[in-house]
């Protein structure tokens, strides 16, 4: 008999067909008002879960005693209680690598958009204000030749470093748990203390995972260390930054601008003060959101899930589950 999985993220037809060859699929649209209730109904007897952006707490896991694997369509796994999954013998898989370059592109899009005021000035043109040549009030700041500070020199951090050094002639500083000799050799990057990076960088880009050590990593004290002309770009997770402190630093022009793809609360509320500030570019968590990359991520998650259910070790296993 086929194993049963609960799918809570839409998949393309080719991936649906592949899944259905191997497993019985119950589809739950968690975006619907009754989505959570439907998920609860579907969990008993499920062997696998595949989706993203769902906080899987113990009360949901209690409903799924036969669960073997949760295949997340994401690289970040901050939504999951990993010790709890491990304790229950449930494998957790993620989708690293396939989204690295696309997310680094998003980081650079935010660097360029904030420095060159792309969104603000494009709206200014659209609103009919372009009546004469621009003056200094509308000038942006250069990106090429500046210093990029990368906090979290992992896969995405390295992809940013490559763009910065090879494409924009930037000096690259980084702060990470471990020194990365390869990255230093390839891109001339230099490891720094967090304070040293904040004091020197023209652009500070966050690419750490969200965990107990990184939650609130950038607060009022850290923002106060940044240069007044510096720009903060967050493509990691909203909670890595103390959002009220950031709003204050942007409002008082303590720092020049912020490019934000991630927020403490997502979707971002229309009443967020961030949306009142002309020195903020806010995007709706689009780090990996291209057709090609989202398809590659979903395929990776399907591969992980099917391998786990076949009794094999999935390629991207996050937790070590005894007996696997
Ligand atoms: P990764 O390869 O694991 O890189 C993260 C790096 O952060 C690691 O290399 C690690 O450093 C470093 N790090 C961890 N804790 C740290 C700390 N306390 N201080 C300084 N550095 C620390 O992961 P990735 O694939 O690059 O992805 C990074 C994160 O980006 C994900 O976890 C996810 O939250 C986020 N993300 C967001 C989007 C989006 O849509 N905006 C898309 C993809 C990913 P060491 O190697 O030195 O230990």
């Amino acid at each position: 008999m086929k194993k049963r999985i609960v799918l809570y993220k839409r998949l393309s037809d080719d991936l649906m067909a592949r899944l259905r060859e191997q497993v019985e699929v119950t589809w739950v649209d968690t975006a619907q008002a009754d989505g959570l209730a439907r998920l609860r109904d579907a969990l008993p007897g499920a062997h696998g879960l595949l989706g993203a952006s769902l906080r899987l707490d113990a009360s949901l896991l209690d409903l799924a005693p036969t669960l073997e694997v949760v295949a997340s369509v994401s690289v970040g796994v901050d939504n999951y209680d990993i010790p709890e999954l491990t304790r229950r013998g449930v494998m957790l898989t993620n989708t690293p690598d396939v989204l690295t370059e696309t997310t680094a592109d998003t980081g650079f899009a935010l660097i360029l958009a904030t420095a060159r005021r792309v969104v603000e000035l494009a709206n200014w043109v659209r609103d009919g204000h372009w009546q004469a040549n621009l003056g200094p009030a509308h000038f942006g700041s250069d990106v090429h030749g500046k210093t990029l500070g990368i906090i979290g020199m992992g896969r995405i951090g390295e992809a940013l470093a490559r763009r910065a050094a090879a494409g924009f002639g930037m000096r690259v500083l980084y702060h990470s748990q471990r020194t990365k000799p390869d990255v230093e050799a390839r891109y001339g990057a230099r490891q720094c203390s967090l304070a040293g990076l904040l004091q020197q960088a023209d652009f500070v880009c966050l690419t750490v995972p969200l965990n107990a050590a990184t939650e609130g990593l950038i607060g009022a004290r850290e923002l106060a260390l940044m240069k007044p002309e510096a720009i903060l770009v967050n493509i990691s997770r909203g909670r890595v930054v103390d959002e009220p402190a950031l709003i204050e630093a942007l409002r008082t022009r303590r720092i020049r601008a912020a490019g934000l793809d991630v927020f403490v609360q997502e979707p971002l509320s229309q009443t967020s003060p961030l949306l009142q500030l002309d020195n903020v570019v806010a995007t709706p968590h689009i780090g990996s959101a291209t057709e090609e990359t989202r398809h590659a991520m979903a395929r990776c998650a399907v591969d992980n899930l099917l391998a786990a259910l076949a009794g094999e070790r999935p390629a991207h296993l996050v937790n070590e589950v005894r007996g696997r």
Side-chain angles (χ1 to χ4, degrees):
M1 207 171 72
K2 281 181 178 173
K3 290 189 172 173
R4 188 167 72 77
I5 71 135
V6 178
L7 180 70
Y8 55 96
K9 189 171 188 66
R10 259 181 224 291
L11 296 185
S12 55
D13 291 348
D14 59 322
L15 293 176
M16 274 310 269
R18 192 150 153 252
L19 266 184
R20 287 204 163 110
E21 267 173 26
Q22 312 268 342
V23 291
E24 191 193 318
V25 180
T26 303
W27 158 246
V28 175
D29 187 352
T30 47
Q32 296 298 315
D34 62 349
L36 200 57
R38 282 171 181 262
L39 181 75
R40 288 176 166 278
D41 290 346
L43 285 175
H47 301 96
L49 287 178
L50 192 151
S53 312
L54 177 72
R55 203 159 275 284
L56 259 187
D57 59 20
S59 73
L60 286 177
L61 291 172
D62 283 345
L63 295 171
T66 53
L67 194 62
E68 295 174 35
V69 58
V70 177
S72 186
V73 190
S74 68
V75 65
V77 286
D78 46 282
N79 258 338
Y80 303 93
D81 183 341
I82 299 172
E84 183 62 21
L85 286 169
T86 309
R87 194 182 65 75
R88 292 171 187 250
V90 177
M91 289 177 270
L92 174 65
T93 66
N94 68 345
T95 62
D97 303 321
V98 288
L99 47 52
T100 297
E101 299 300 329
T102 300
T103 309
D105 286 349
T106 303
F108 251 89
L110 288 172
I111 289 172
L112 289 164
T114 46
R116 300 302 306 274
R117 302 169 59 177
V118 172
V119 178
E120 178 195 349
L121 293 178
N123 287 336
W124 185 78
V125 173
R126 192 181 289 270
D127 293 343
H129 297 298
W130 191 19
Q131 306 292 346
N133 286 343
L134 291 189
H138 293 105
F139 292 168
S141 56
D142 277 341
V143 173
H144 66 271
K146 294 282 183 70
T147 297
L148 174 63
I150 299 171
I151 301 181
M153 186 51 84
R155 290 170 289 246
I156 297 168
E158 179 170 354
L160 277 172
R162 176 164 17 89
R163 283 161 178 72
F168 290 83
M170 297 174 91
R171 180 165 82 111
V172 178
L173 302 177
Y174 70 98
H175 173 70
S176 211
Q177 296 177 127
R178 293 167 294 164
T179 299
K180 307 289 164 105
D182 287 1
V183 178
E184 298 197 356
R186 282 191 210 115
Y187 312 117
R190 194 159 57 76
Q191 162 93 300
C192 259
S193 65
L194 180 59
L197 181 149
L198 293 168
Q199 285 162 341
Q200 295 177 67
D202 299 299
F203 299 90
V204 174
C205 192
L206 301 172
T207 49
V208 281
L210 173 64
N211 56 39
T214 61
E215 180 156 13
L217 186 68
I218 302 298
R221 202 182 41 208
E222 288 70 29
L223 291 162
L225 291 173
M226 288 174 66
K227 301 198 256 190
E229 64 273 21
I231 291 175
L232 181 76
V233 169
N234 189 4
I235 53 170
S236 63
R237 287 290 184 264
R239 277 157 54 205
V240 172
V241 177
D242 176 344
E243 219 167 68
L246 175 62
I247 290 166
E248 187 58 14
L250 290 164
R251 203 181 53 74
T252 57
R253 308 273 161 171
R254 177 62 204 78
I255 62 170
R256 182 190 286 262
L260 307 171
D261 188 44
V262 286
F263 304 88
V264 169
Q265 196 89 51
E266 295 181 9
L268 182 63
S269 162
Q270 269 304 107
T271 61
S272 167
L274 287 169
L275 298 180
Q276 308 301 318
L277 298 167
D278 60 9
N279 53 350
V280 170
V281 174
T283 49
H285 204 141
I286 58 166
S288 63
T290 65
E291 286 175 18
E292 300 92 327
T293 294
R294 284 294 168 87
H295 187 267
M297 289 165 68
R299 190 174 52 215
C300 179
V302 167
D303 288 346
N304 285 328
L305 177 120
L306 292 178
L309 293 182
E312 297 158 15
R313 186 185 167 86
H316 307 103
L317 184 61
V318 172
N319 57 345
E320 285 302 329
V321 174
R322 217 172 332 145
R324 307 274 179 202

